[in-house]
Amino acid sequence: MSETVFTYAAPGLKFGRGASHEIGWDVQQLCGGTATGAATGGTRRVLLVTDPGVAATGHPDRIAQQVRAHGLEVVVHTSARVEPTDASLEAAVALARDAGPFDAVVAVGGGSSIDTAKAVDLMLTNPGTLLDYVNAPVGGGRAPEHPLLPLVAVPTTSGTGAESTTICVLDVLALKVKTGISHARLRPTLAVVDPDLAMTQPAMVTASAGMDILCHALESWTARWYADFDAKQPQQRVPYCGANPIADMWAEKSMTLLAGAFRRAVRDGGDVEAREQMALAATFAGLGFGNAGVHVPHACAYPIAGRVRDYRPEGYPADEPIVPHGMAVVMTAPAAFALTHDASPERHRRAAELLGGTGGSLPEVLRGLMRDVGLPSGLAELGYGDADVDDLVAGAMQQQRLLATAPVDVTPDDLALVFRESLEHW
Ligand SMILES: NC(=O)c1ccc[n+]([C@@H]2O[C@H](COP(=O)([O-])OP(=O)(O)OC[C@H]3O[C@@H](n4cnc5c(N)ncnc54)[C@H](O)[C@@H]3O)[C@@H](O)[C@H]2O)c1
Ligand SMILES: [Fe+2]
């Protein structure tokens, strides 16, 4: 029998310039405090998680001070690694366990900091190891038994939507593959999106994170329709239920905002209006894909990022090679949307139109945008060649949770074609 039900969930949201000035009050409420006095029942302790690059902007310290002003104790851990690994998450968890107990967690940063906070929160509240909770087949696919501590997520990039999703993405070093933990309990309690915090993003971070927004919107908009899945029992429902009427609205609006703001935000990081629209676009895309799901470009991105050799993009920490998430995702997007085109030609055409394409196909519109925001010209520029295709395909085939949301059945041969066509875009 086919599915007849779709689901939608989202955290509380505070959006707008200056929203981050109210976090002290928000955290106090979540810790059981009152609006006028210190939290009741002893001093409540808050863990603030960030990364060194974001810490250098001064935002985390300012937010910590403000939370302290509401009578709470705050411990700041600059423990997030850019593009977290199992090792970096375990180190952040160990640090937090030593410094605990805590009553709430605040994440200030991009997806890397927010995902690190999710992993820390999970392991402060639930038994076992991190790998127990990682999606099968890479990990044990265990569901957290206990609720997590309240998590306030404060993004400083406009990209991942991690402030509203149930996902924590990590690189499992021994397997050279990125994967995730996904469960409703990981969804932050409150998302505070203040576009002012995103003003300092370097141009390549803006470009790469912006491509993440774009692919979240496009992949959820073209995902397998929720009613085309088999009917589920209540206990079988997963956060990603396929494209549906509610997720569609977020995706469409997100693409319209991107069409107006993406190029401007990369060209002039000080353009307040463009930054605000990018922050909205990221939030909208997150609210959409966090329920509908993503598919082929995200599945392909995980081995691209996980098997990196020596790529060090401008604007990111130079100590270790990385392929930033949004860059890894969009590299295969033109070929992936050529693969999925026949499943819903009208949606692919409409997406190209929403993105401001004047008659071009979706892959053409995507390549034009990639070139305009200064992204690499293809996987070859990231250090990959024909000889890597088999390994990349094997890594992408492990992302069955994502491939299940694709609008077509995806074979290893299909993925090999996608990777080959993505080696050089221009
Ligand atoms: N949980 C989810 O739903 C989800 C979704 C997509 C991606 N992700 C994950 O998120 C991570 C990527 O996150 P991201 O793209 O937000 O970037 P990021 O958190 O990795 O940060 C990128 C770089 O920008 C710096 N930075 C961030 N904000 C800044 C600011 N305002 N000013 C100056 N520098 C700033 C950081 O220090 C870092 O060097 C990846 O690990 C990816 O897999 C998670
Ligand atoms: Fe993403």
Side-chain angles (χ1 to χ4, degrees):
M1 205 180 96
S2 328
E3 186 55 86
T4 54
V5 173
F6 66 88
T7 52
Y8 182 79
L13 170 68
K14 243 186 202 190
F15 184 98
R17 299 182 64 199
S20 66
H21 299 288
E22 301 182 6
I23 291 172
W25 192 86
D26 291 323
V27 177
Q28 189 193 51
Q29 299 309 299
L30 291 171
C31 286
T34 64
T36 50
T40 50
T43 306
R44 302 300 168 107
R45 303 188 73 236
V46 178
L47 173 64
L48 188 153
V49 177
T50 188
D51 77 56
V54 175
T57 65
H59 298 311
D61 272 346
R62 178 181 58 75
I63 290 169
Q65 270 315 103
Q66 201 208 103
V67 178
R68 287 185 191 114
H70 282 76
L72 298 130
E73 188 183 328
V74 185
V75 177
V76 177
H77 282 178
T78 311
S79 54
R81 175 193 192 270
V82 178
E83 306 280 325
T85 63
D86 47 353
S88 80
L89 294 181
E90 277 157 13
V93 169
L95 199 67
R97 280 194 174 129
D98 283 350
F102 294 104
D103 300 290
V105 182
V106 176
V108 182
S112 297
S113 297
I114 296 173
D115 284 359
T116 301
K118 287 178 182 173
V120 165
D121 198 341
L122 171 68
M123 298 315 294
L124 286 178
T125 46
N126 281 273
T129 66
L130 202 61
L131 206 61
D132 291 341
Y133 295 93
V134 169
N135 295 322
V138 176
R142 179 172 174 177
E145 298 149 41
H146 307 297
L148 276 59
L149 297 171
L151 170 61
V152 178
V154 190
T156 62
T157 58
S158 299
T160 68
E163 70 282 356
S164 63
T165 69
T166 59
I167 310 151
C168 160
V169 184
L170 67 149
D171 190 346
V172 180
L173 290 173
L175 300 175
K176 291 194 174 175
V177 73
K178 273 204 158 198
T179 179
I181 302 172
S182 176
H183 190 275
R185 289 201 195 276
L186 265 65
R187 196 188 304 277
T189 323
L190 176 66
V192 178
V193 185
D194 183 340
D196 280 349
L197 304 186
M199 298 295 293
T200 45
Q201 284 174 97
M204 187 50 95
V205 174
T206 308
S208 179
M211 287 299 178
D212 198 20
I213 309 177
L214 176 62
C215 291
H216 291 159
L218 275 174
E219 290 173 54
S220 56
W221 165 251
T222 54
R224 183 176 298 236
W225 190 246
Y226 76 96
D228 293 340
F229 289 89
D230 290 338
K232 294 177 205 67
Q233 295 297 313
Q235 70 279 11
Q236 294 173 316
R237 296 205 182 281
V238 286
Y240 282 7
C241 65
N244 63 73
I246 290 186
D248 275 0
M249 291 194 313
W250 296 114
E252 279 172 50
K253 186 69 187 158
S254 177
M255 287 188 264
T256 308
L257 287 163
L258 283 169
F262 195 179
R263 287 176 175 87
R264 274 164 51 212
V266 174
R267 207 180 316 122
D268 174 11
D271 183 331
V272 175
E273 194 203 33
R275 288 291 196 194
E276 211 164 4
Q277 290 190 5
M278 290 298 284
L280 258 192
T283 306
F284 286 6
L287 293 171
F289 97 87
N291 290 283
V294 285
H295 54 85
V296 179
H298 269 77
C300 292
Y302 288 161
I304 293 171
R307 307 189 72 82
V308 60
R309 295 199 186 94
D310 196 28
Y311 188 69
R312 289 163 212 265
E314 213 183 301
Y316 285 81
D319 45 349
E320 285 181 73
I322 56 165
V323 182
H325 172 75
M327 186 186 290
V329 172
V330 79
M331 279 299 136
T332 61
F337 289 112
L339 174 74
T340 58
H341 175 270
D342 289 352
S344 52
E346 177 53 24
R347 279 191 177 240
H348 287 67
R349 190 199 57 74
R350 176 84 181 124
E353 193 178 282
L354 288 170
L355 290 169
T358 46
S361 69
L362 184 54
E364 283 162 4
V365 171
L366 286 174
R367 289 196 178 100
L369 198 48
M370 288 162 77
R371 197 178 312 126
D372 289 353
V373 300
L375 281 187
S377 59
L379 291 172
E381 200 176 322
L382 304 182
Y384 293 107
D386 262 326
D388 297 305
V389 168
D390 288 349
D391 287 337
L392 293 170
V393 169
M397 285 304 290
Q398 284 188 298
Q399 312 301 324
Q400 285 302 323
R401 184 181 64 89
L402 304 182
L403 293 176
T405 323
V408 292
D409 290 333
V410 180
T411 66
D413 285 349
D414 293 330
L415 291 179
L417 192 67
V418 165
F419 282 117
R420 276 202 193 91
E421 286 184 353
S422 307
L423 288 173
E424 280 174 34
H425 289 305
W426 57 83

